[in-house]
Amino acid sequence: MKLATVEDTQAFGRRLAGILRAGDLVVLSGPLGAGKTALVQGIGAGLGVTGAITSPTFVIARVHRGPVPLVHADAYRLGDRPDPRAEIDDLDLDASAEDAVTVVEWGAGLVERLNDEYLQVRIDRLDDDTRVVELVPHGGDWPARIHGLETS
């Protein structure tokens, strides 16, 4: 699916939030500037969480309160560590996993073990700033839940 603007990316995040529930893990991948944080802003708006959603690159993880809380983490800086998986363990993301939607930027290869069932969202940015989004379901009922999101 192609998203022409940042606003389109945020709007898609709001639509995605409509299928998310507590206990879900969403893993975002894509290059710098692809729109991962913009997507999370839309997810947060769709979940009705409080507070501004900004990139958690330097704080690593933030919890946003709401009817369904959002845990927003960024593993970008962990990739250069000798054992980034141990760093992920230190974040205790699994402590809130059952009660919140957990979205991790740059988490591919690091956080999938937090949940047997998760949604991977791959975002790429074309030269004209259009975002190309691919949803890759892993286990559970994800295929049925995302059905229609890519075309609506």
Side-chain angles (χ1 to χ4, degrees):
M1 144 185 35
K2 290 186 177 181
L3 304 170
T5 64
V6 171
E7 292 78 15
D8 292 340
T9 304
Q10 292 168 332
F12 177 71
R14 285 190 296 278
R15 288 198 337 262
L16 179 59
I19 67 162
L20 297 176
R21 55 187 176 231
D24 284 345
L25 172 63
V26 180
V27 181
L28 306 182
S29 60
L32 283 170
K36 294 178 294 295
T37 300
L39 183 69
V40 180
Q41 289 168 340
I43 291 170
L47 292 174
V49 302
T50 58
I53 294 178
T54 59
S55 177
T57 298
F58 296 102
V59 296
I60 311 297
R62 286 192 174 98
V63 177
H64 298 276
R65 304 284 177 218
V68 175
L70 171 65
V71 176
H72 180 203
D74 187 330
Y76 180 75
R77 293 185 357 166
L78 303 181
D80 293 335
R81 306 284 169 90
D83 187 3
R85 290 179 194 230
E87 296 285 334
I88 291 292
D89 289 342
D90 288 345
L91 293 177
D92 283 332
L93 293 177
D94 54 345
S96 58
E98 290 182 19
D99 302 322
V101 169
T102 302
V103 180
V104 183
E105 298 185 32
W106 301 95
L110 298 172
V111 300
E112 294 88 345
R113 62 193 167 121
L114 293 173
N115 198 327
D116 293 335
E117 305 166 2
Y118 63 94
L119 179 64
Q120 182 177 14
V121 180
R122 297 179 184 153
I123 306 174
D124 201 3
R125 187 166 137 188
L126 304 178
D127 290 339
D128 66 356
D129 283 340
T130 298
R131 274 81 176 165
V132 178
V133 177
E134 178 186 10
L135 303 178
V136 183
H138 293 271
D141 63 349
W142 280 111
R145 288 166 63 189
I146 66 169
H147 182 73
L149 271 181
E150 293 180 306
T151 57
S152 61

